[in-house]
Amino acid sequence: MIVYFAGVGYDGVAGTDRHVADALSAMTPVLYVDPPRSALTPLIHPHLAESLRGPALREVRPGLWRLIPRVAPGAGRPGIRWLTATLVRRAVRRAVAELGQSVSAVITVGPDDVSDVAPQARSLFYATDDLVAGAVLLGLSPRRLRAGLRRQLKNADRIAVVSPILQRQFATMGREAALIPNGCAPEAYGDVDTAPWPEDVPSEFPDTGKGVAGFVGNINGRIDIELLEAVAAAGHPLLLVGPREASYEPVRFPALVALPNVCWVGRKPFADLPSYLRVIDVGLTPYVVDDFNLASFPIKTLEYLAVGRGVVSTDLPATDWLRADEGGADLIGIATTPAEFVAAVEDELTMERTHTLAAERRRFAARHDWAVRARAVAELLGIQQEVGGP
């Protein structure tokens, strides 16, 4: 069994952790470990209340289990972190024993080295973000994150990263890292064009003749609101799908979503995304160009292509890496200023949505699906797919 210490809950916005764990579970049993939760978590984060009801260990489907460790309040405080780590390790060992499994590998994505939950297992530190660069945005201590990163690079058997920037950064710190970028799930969007129209998007919303631009993901400080404002100001219908961080643009964001050509529907389950992606003609990856985002690998860029839609992104190393792949430069538009961003969006919208073009986009995305990424992770850990699956 692989124990996967994730950075986000399994039922949160589907990201690297969930997708990689899902794909790995087709090869070998996986225990997905949510970040630890306390009795105060539902009060601080009401949207998590429902997921915390029920047993701490639950089966997601055959071969994949989810564990939500229960800990004391103040889990991240300096004087309580040791207790939190102890409780998490205890919960994981109890869950593994209850499932009658043995641990062959441990994957961690955060700064806390918990690989000693199974000392004989192979360990992989999988860096999916530059946490130190994003410390302020994440509300975490840069000093603690930096110390945690050094421990992970020292202790992990293997290192993997999602972006070329992180790969180069770790090389300067003395560790070779395998580049395993984020992927996409083309099979989840096979019926997108026949998906039911979402109830919270007015049927007349796209009736402008200009085509719909859309954004799917977390709406927070990573997102350049000036780019979204520019697209809306150009008269394009703009669909926003995803939770908004409460502190994000307290004046500008409400003004944006109050516009008649902007529709914001909030957080949606991954299974519902095809309905919303059906609405859009071009997907947006409007990331702020800063150190945190330069080291990232936005999943949404590939997901838009997996749906057969055009995509426009700010100029990030991850975008350059995809554009360097065969055919990528013709399928992914890039821009650096609001005016260039709007122009790139309009260039995409002038392209007729033909079956041939959609199929080309989907074929490109399929070369980067999560199964490919999971096989690379499994290879690093020396794990072979079990005959017949888990």
Side-chain angles (χ1 to χ4, degrees):
M1 163 174 275
I2 295 175
V3 175
Y4 195 120
F5 286 96
V8 296
Y10 185 83
D11 58 354
V13 174
T16 311
D17 296 340
R18 173 172 168 174
H19 287 302
V20 171
D22 283 349
L24 283 171
S25 71
M27 306 178 192
T28 191
V30 174
L31 177 65
Y32 184 102
V33 184
D34 274 35
R37 309 298 188 192
S38 78
L40 297 182
T41 298
L43 302 177
I44 301 170
H45 304 288
H47 68 278
L48 295 176
E50 182 62 32
S51 68
L52 295 178
R53 296 190 181 98
L57 177 64
R58 58 197 75 172
E59 185 178 35
V60 178
R61 62 172 174 272
L64 177 64
W65 294 267
R66 176 190 185 188
L67 175 67
I68 308 176
R70 307 296 206 255
V71 298
R77 293 179 181 175
I80 302 180
R81 281 205 298 268
W82 68 270
L83 175 60
T84 299
T86 299
L87 292 173
V88 169
R89 290 183 180 92
R90 185 179 301 167
V92 170
R93 288 171 181 148
R94 186 184 302 121
V96 170
E98 182 178 334
L99 295 172
Q101 297 283 342
S102 60
V103 180
S104 59
V106 176
I107 299 174
T108 58
V109 301
D112 297 322
D113 183 6
V114 286
S115 60
D116 60 351
V117 71
Q120 305 306 314
R122 292 177 292 276
S123 61
L124 170 68
F125 173 51
Y126 190 12
T128 58
D129 269 310
D130 185 343
L131 295 180
V132 176
V136 174
L137 176 64
L138 299 171
L140 300 173
S141 163
R143 181 178 178 181
R144 180 193 163 211
L145 291 174
R146 198 173 290 111
L149 175 61
R150 286 196 295 266
R151 284 194 301 272
Q152 292 283 32
L153 294 182
K154 177 183 177 181
N155 296 333
D157 295 324
R158 297 287 186 272
I159 308 289
V161 295
V162 297
S163 72
I165 289 286
L166 284 172
Q167 190 177 41
R168 291 195 290 271
Q169 178 182 319
F170 287 5
T172 65
M173 299 173 72
R175 280 304 301 260
E176 180 181 351
L179 178 60
I180 304 179
N182 283 328
C184 60
E187 70 283 355
Y189 307 117
D191 300 325
V192 65
D193 292 317
T194 57
W197 188 268
E199 294 180 357
D200 48 359
V201 177
S203 58
E204 67 275 11
F205 176 67
D207 290 345
T208 65
K210 288 196 167 190
V212 178
F215 169 87
V216 179
N218 288 307
I219 301 172
N220 55 29
R222 304 188 83 155
I223 305 307
D224 189 339
I225 196 169
E226 190 173 6
L227 302 180
L228 298 177
E229 290 170 335
V231 172
H236 299 288
L238 178 61
L239 176 62
L240 306 175
V241 183
R244 172 211 176 196
E245 189 176 277
S247 62
Y248 177 70
E249 297 292 351
V251 175
R252 294 171 72 179
F253 187 77
L256 174 67
V257 299
L259 295 173
N261 62 321
V262 178
C263 179
W264 174 45
V265 297
R267 180 190 300 269
K268 297 297 173 184
F270 181 71
D272 292 349
L273 292 185
S275 288
Y276 295 93
L277 289 165
R278 168 192 172 180
V279 177
I280 73 169
D281 299 287
V282 58
L284 309 180
T285 307
Y287 275 33
V288 173
V289 180
D290 59 15
D291 288 344
F292 188 33
N293 285 336
L294 287 172
S296 71
F297 197 103
I299 296 172
K300 56 184 60 62
T301 298
L302 280 169
E303 287 188 327
Y304 298 140
L305 293 171
V307 180
R309 304 302 192 255
V311 57
V312 175
S313 171
T314 41
D315 195 1
L316 304 172
T319 309
D320 293 338
W321 187 87
L322 283 173
R323 283 170 56 87
D325 192 13
E326 182 181 354
D330 297 326
L331 299 176
I332 304 171
I334 57 171
T336 56
T337 68
E340 291 174 353
F341 201 84
V342 171
V345 168
E346 292 177 342
D347 283 345
E348 291 291 335
L349 291 174
T350 60
M351 299 183 191
E352 184 181 357
R353 192 197 290 183
T354 65
H355 291 298
T356 299
L357 179 57
E360 183 180 355
R361 291 165 173 163
R362 289 185 172 116
R363 279 195 298 272
F364 180 89
R367 299 206 300 268
H368 300 276
D369 72 10
W370 288 112
V372 172
R373 306 307 193 226
R375 285 196 293 272
V377 170
E379 184 177 345
L380 272 183
L381 292 170
I383 293 171
Q384 301 296 319
Q385 181 170 357
E386 296 182 0
V387 178

